[in-house]
Amino acid sequence: KMNGSHSSGGGVNRNISESTVFQNIVLQFSKLQVKNTFAVDVTGNYAALAGQKGDLSIIDLEDPWDPVKKLSSADEKYSVNIVEWSCHQSNRSLIASAAKKTVRLWDAERGEQISRMDKHSRSVTDLAWSVFEPHTLATISADNYIFMWDIRTPKPILKKWACMWTEGSLMEWNRFKPRILGATHDGYVTIWDLRFLKQPKSKITAHNSKISSFSWSYCDADELLTSSATEPKCKIWNTGSTNQPIKILDTQSRGVFKGAYTPFGNNILTVSNRSVSLWDADDLSSSVHEFLGNIDTVIDFDWRKVQSEDESKYQLLTWGKVCYTHIGIMMKTLATK
């Protein structure tokens, strides 16, 4: 049963010294038809694994070897390509997922689908829960449109606008400004102010090829990061001066599949094939930590938090092939003050 009984506040807190957050674990999902993405809930207790035909598998991260439950879509024939738990404690059991053009909202605790949203005309490429409004979800699609949804209402569309002349790809809400939303389109970034949607607040020509990751800083309201899978460099931008990046992180790799600011400190995590590296954003000369042991390509990652009396610990979960043929999760712990 998913009842949050081993959670308190923002992270795991049951028999803390015995928690799996203190262990390095490799999980294989040979019996589950899981796909290329996953997400960890806000409590740090559960993970949702994207599956085929719109399905999601839920695992308990304190007992992660078997799924707790499966959320199934009887009328979906496409695989889930995006899954995101709500980032709010008040809606901690809510999951949004996308398969092709369809967005589904799930209640993981009740094990049922709450609603289905089919307004996009092409594949949904990303979705994001508002950091400030628990009931607001944004989606972006290859149809060039961004939708904002109020999940409480039977007619949930709050706003809809054409975001660019080329298809949308990634999106993320600013962590400090509730009306600011960033989106990517091929090699471009657009910054939107929800009060003025006729044109973007600013536009950044970030990369010569498609942007593979986009992330707002946890420390600076005007700072964001972009990367491309065909370039070894992450670029750090200030939205007040978009002509040139303010910093460049050279990973010395063939390309950065994914890069993101961490929820602790002023740090950046990058994924380049099997290489998973942690960087200090104030000193990008060399990585401060390497997460070793990834057997094959890392596809995605997420963080799990545990809070004790005097420190926070974060466990990195990487998603990819763990034994050449089977997809799975590697759980590795990082201690941070």
Side-chain angles (χ1 to χ4, degrees):
K1 181 180 179 181
M2 290 183 59
N3 56 17
S5 62
H6 54 275
S7 172
S8 176
V12 177
N13 201 18
R14 178 189 63 182
N15 296 327
I16 193 167
S17 62
E18 301 175 4
S19 170
T20 55
V21 82
F22 291 93
Q23 304 173 37
N24 291 330
I25 297 173
V26 178
L27 304 173
Q28 297 180 22
F29 302 111
S30 57
K31 295 181 180 180
L32 298 179
Q33 294 180 320
V34 293
K35 302 304 287 184
N36 291 345
T37 190
F38 79 116
V40 177
D41 80 326
V42 68
T43 70
N45 293 332
Y46 299 101
L49 316 180
Q52 296 181 347
K53 297 183 178 180
D55 294 346
L56 299 176
S57 295
I58 310 300
I59 61 170
D60 182 342
L61 293 174
E62 287 299 320
D63 185 17
W65 291 270
D66 294 300
V68 175
K69 63 178 62 175
K70 193 168 187 176
L71 309 179
S72 298
S73 306
D75 57 346
E76 183 60 74
K77 62 181 179 180
Y78 296 105
S79 298
V80 173
N81 61 306
I82 312 157
V83 58
E84 290 290 342
W85 286 86
S86 170
C87 56
H88 296 274
Q89 281 283 342
S90 59
N91 285 338
R92 59 185 174 271
S93 67
L94 296 187
I95 306 173
S97 67
K100 206 69 173 180
K101 297 183 290 185
T102 301
V103 177
R104 298 176 191 271
L105 187 66
W106 308 85
D107 188 316
E109 187 169 347
R110 299 207 308 257
E112 62 185 25
Q113 180 179 304
I114 299 173
S115 61
R116 169 178 171 161
M117 296 168 275
D118 290 296
K119 296 299 184 181
H120 284 290
S121 61
R122 294 182 64 190
S123 294
V124 175
T125 54
D126 204 3
L127 52 83
W129 292 95
S130 169
V131 178
F132 294 91
E133 300 292 338
H135 301 289
T136 299
L137 178 72
T139 58
I140 190 170
S141 167
D143 63 11
N144 301 355
Y145 279 91
I146 294 175
F147 282 77
M148 276 181 57
W149 313 83
D150 184 339
I151 63 172
R152 298 169 296 183
T153 64
K155 296 182 179 180
I157 297 177
L158 289 173
K159 295 179 185 290
K160 169 190 175 182
W161 69 97
C163 54
M164 200 68 169
W165 61 87
T166 184
E167 65 184 44
S169 182
L170 304 173
M171 68 186 321
E172 191 171 278
W173 292 91
N174 188 284
R175 306 186 198 282
F176 296 89
K177 301 176 181 180
R179 297 187 180 93
I180 301 299
L181 181 71
T184 73
H185 329 262
D186 287 339
Y188 301 94
V189 176
T190 52
I191 309 300
W192 298 90
D193 186 324
L194 298 183
R195 298 168 294 184
F196 312 104
L197 292 175
K198 290 185 177 181
Q199 61 183 16
K201 184 174 185 288
S202 59
K203 185 179 78 171
I204 301 171
T205 304
H207 298 270
N208 294 325
S209 55
K210 187 175 183 178
I211 293 171
S212 60
S213 58
F214 167 73
S215 178
W216 286 102
S217 170
Y218 285 81
C219 299
D220 187 328
D222 298 315
E223 189 173 294
L224 61 90
L225 174 149
T226 62
S227 73
S228 171
T230 63
E231 301 176 25
K233 297 176 181 179
C234 289
K235 298 180 180 180
I236 299 171
W237 307 84
N238 185 288
T239 57
S241 177
T242 58
N243 291 330
Q244 297 290 333
I246 56 174
K247 296 178 184 178
I248 293 179
L249 165 56
D250 191 347
T251 65
Q252 303 291 319
S253 67
R254 293 183 180 179
V256 181
F257 299 154
K258 188 169 182 179
Y261 289 96
T262 65
F264 53 88
N266 189 22
N267 302 305
I268 296 168
L269 192 79
T270 60
V271 172
S272 305
N273 200 359
R274 299 179 190 175
S275 175
V276 181
S277 307
L278 184 69
W279 308 79
D280 182 344
D282 295 319
D283 180 5
L284 299 174
S285 58
S286 62
S287 64
V288 296
H289 187 81
E290 295 289 329
F291 292 89
L292 305 175
N294 299 289
I295 297 172
D296 211 321
T297 301
V298 174
I299 302 169
D300 200 1
F301 65 80
D302 206 347
W303 291 97
R304 179 189 182 207
K305 180 182 178 182
V306 60
Q307 183 71 49
S308 61
E309 292 184 359
D310 58 348
E311 68 175 351
S312 299
K313 289 185 182 291
Y314 288 85
Q315 187 173 49
L316 176 67
L317 279 65
T318 57
W319 177 259
K321 290 184 178 179
V322 296
C323 65
Y324 301 109
T325 57
H326 295 154
I327 201 164
I329 289 176
M330 298 191 74
M331 303 166 66
K332 298 189 176 184
T333 300
L334 181 70
T336 60
K337 288 289 185 181

